C-alpha cells in the first residue's frame, strides 16, 4: 500500500523550499546594491540631496543623487517609500521598475505591493511616466500599475498615504494578497496564501502594524480563513 500524502505537510515543505530560494537569492542581491534598507521596522533617512525619505519595513532604495551634476534621484528596489521633497529648480526623480516619477517639491509615496506598483500623492503635483505615456497626479490622487495596465484614482484623499509611518494600515477594497504583502514585511518566516482566488478577495478596514501577528489574525478572521504555523518556515493563510 502506498503511503498517504499529507497535503498540509507538502504545502509547508513547498513553502520552506520557496522561502529558502527567496531568502538566499533576491534579498542578497538587493542588500549588495542598496544604499538604505530596512528590516522589520520603518526608518527615516536623509538623502544626499537633503530631501527626506521614510522607508517602510522590508524596503530598500538606491540614492542616485549626484550633486556635481545637479541630479536628485532615487531607485526604489522593493517595499514602500515616502518622500518629502524640497522645492528646487532641479527635479527630484524616482525610478520604480519601469515607471518613472518626477516632482519639483512635494510629498508622495511609492510602493511595490504584491506585483502591483502604486504612487500616492500627499502634497503638490507628481508626474508619472512609462515610455511615452505620462500621467499628472495631484494631492489625493493614486496611480496604480498592475498587469500591464495603468489605473488612476482621484479624490482618494491623503489620510491613508504612507500611514505605516504611524503603524497603521487603512485600506479600502484592497486585495488580500496586498494586505498580506504589507504585513509580511514585518513578520519573520514569511506568509504563504493557499486557496485559488483567495488572494484576490478584497478587504476594507484598519490594521495595527505594531502588532503584525495580531493584524494577520484579524485579517484571517474577517475572511473566515485560518492560520497554520509552519514554525521557522513561516505561516500559512488558507480559506
Amino acid at each position: 500500500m502506498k503511503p498517504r500524502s499529507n497535503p498540509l505537510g507538502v504545502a509547508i515543505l513547498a513553502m520552506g523550499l520557496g522561502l529558502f530560494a527567496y531568502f538566499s537569492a533576491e534579498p542578497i542581491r538587493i542588500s549588495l546594491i542598496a544604499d538604505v534598507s530596512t528590516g522589520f521596522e520603518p526608518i527615516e533617512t536623509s538623502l544626499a540631496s537633503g530631501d527626506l525619505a521614510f522607508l517602510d519595513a522590508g524596503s530598500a532604495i538606491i540614492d542616485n543623487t549626484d550633486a556635481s551634476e545637479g541630479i536628485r534621484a532615487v531607485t526604489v528596489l522593493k517595499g514602500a517609500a515616502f518622500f518629502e521633497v524640497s522645492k528646487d529648480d532641479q527635479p527630484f526623480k524616482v525610478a520604480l521598475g519601469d515607471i518613472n516619477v518626477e516632482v519639483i517639491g512635494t510629498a508622495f509615496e511609492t510602493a511595490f505591493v504584491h506585483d502591483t506598483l502604486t504612487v500616492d500623492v500627499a502634497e503638490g503635483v507628481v508626474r508619472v511616466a512609462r515610455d511615452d505615456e505620462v500621467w499628472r497626479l495631484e494631492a489625493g490622487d493614486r496611480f496604480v500599475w498592475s498587469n500591464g495596465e495603468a489605473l488612476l484614482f482621484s479624490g482618494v484623499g491623503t489620510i491613508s498615504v504612507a500611514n505605516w509611518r504611524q503603524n497603521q494600515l487603512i485600506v479600502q477594497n484592497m486585495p488580500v494578497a496586498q494586505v498580506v504583502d504589507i504585513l509580511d514585511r514585518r513578520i519573520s518566516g514569511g506568509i504563504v496564501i493557499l486557496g485559488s482566488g483567495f488572494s484576490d478577495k478584497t478587504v476594507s478596514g484598519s490594521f495595527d502594524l505594531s502588532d503584525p501577528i495580531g493584524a494577520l489574525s484579524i485579517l484571517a478572521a474577517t475572511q473566515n480563513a485560518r492560520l497554520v504555523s509552519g514554525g521557522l518556515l513561516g505561516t500559512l493563510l488558507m480559506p
Side-chain angles (χ1 to χ4, degrees):
M1 178 184 295
K2 292 184 178 180
R4 297 179 63 183
S5 62
N6 183 336
L8 182 58
V10 172
I12 292 176
L13 176 60
M15 177 177 68
L17 292 174
L19 289 173
F20 174 80
Y22 173 80
F23 282 111
S24 61
E26 185 62 9
I28 292 178
R29 183 190 72 83
I30 289 177
S31 67
L32 290 174
I33 63 176
D35 290 316
V36 185
S37 59
T38 58
F40 297 119
E41 298 286 341
I43 66 167
E44 175 184 342
T45 185
S46 293
L47 302 172
S49 62
D51 301 294
L52 289 178
F54 301 80
L55 271 64
D56 192 14
S59 303
I61 62 171
I62 299 174
D63 189 347
N64 300 310
T65 298
D66 186 340
S68 64
E69 297 292 332
I71 296 174
R72 297 195 296 169
V74 170
T75 298
V76 177
L77 299 171
K78 67 172 183 174
F82 180 83
F83 300 98
E84 289 185 355
V85 181
S86 59
K87 193 167 184 178
D88 192 286
D89 291 336
Q90 183 62 43
F92 181 90
K93 300 180 180 181
V94 177
L96 192 69
D98 56 358
I99 298 293
N100 295 292
V101 181
E102 182 176 311
V103 304
I104 296 297
T106 185
F108 64 101
E109 177 189 12
T110 64
F112 289 109
V113 185
H114 195 71
D115 300 326
T116 294
L117 180 156
T118 64
V119 178
D120 289 274
V121 183
E123 299 175 11
V125 177
V126 171
R127 177 183 180 272
V128 179
R130 182 182 183 275
D131 297 332
D132 295 329
E133 296 182 278
V134 178
W135 301 270
R136 183 180 185 275
L137 280 64
E138 298 180 352
D141 290 346
R142 171 176 295 165
F143 171 87
V144 177
W145 180 262
S146 181
N147 297 319
E149 181 180 2
L151 300 173
L152 290 176
F153 301 92
S154 298
V156 174
T158 60
I159 189 172
S160 63
V161 178
N163 48 38
W164 41 262
R165 291 175 296 160
Q166 291 79 42
N167 275 325
Q168 286 186 309
L169 175 61
I170 302 172
V171 298
Q172 182 69 36
N173 295 323
M174 178 178 281
V176 166
Q178 293 188 16
V179 176
V180 167
D181 189 65
I182 294 170
L183 296 177
D184 192 36
R185 299 175 192 162
R186 292 164 166 78
I187 298 174
S188 62
I191 308 167
V192 173
I193 302 174
L194 299 181
S196 177
F198 182 50
S199 294
D200 297 327
K201 292 183 65 177
T202 57
V203 180
S204 296
S206 177
F207 299 90
D208 180 4
L209 294 179
S210 66
D211 180 15
I213 296 295
L216 182 61
S217 298
I218 292 173
L219 173 65
T222 60
Q223 300 301 309
N224 294 319
R226 61 192 179 108
L227 299 175
V228 179
S229 175
L232 295 176
L233 298 180
T235 303
L236 294 174
L237 175 63
M238 62 184 71

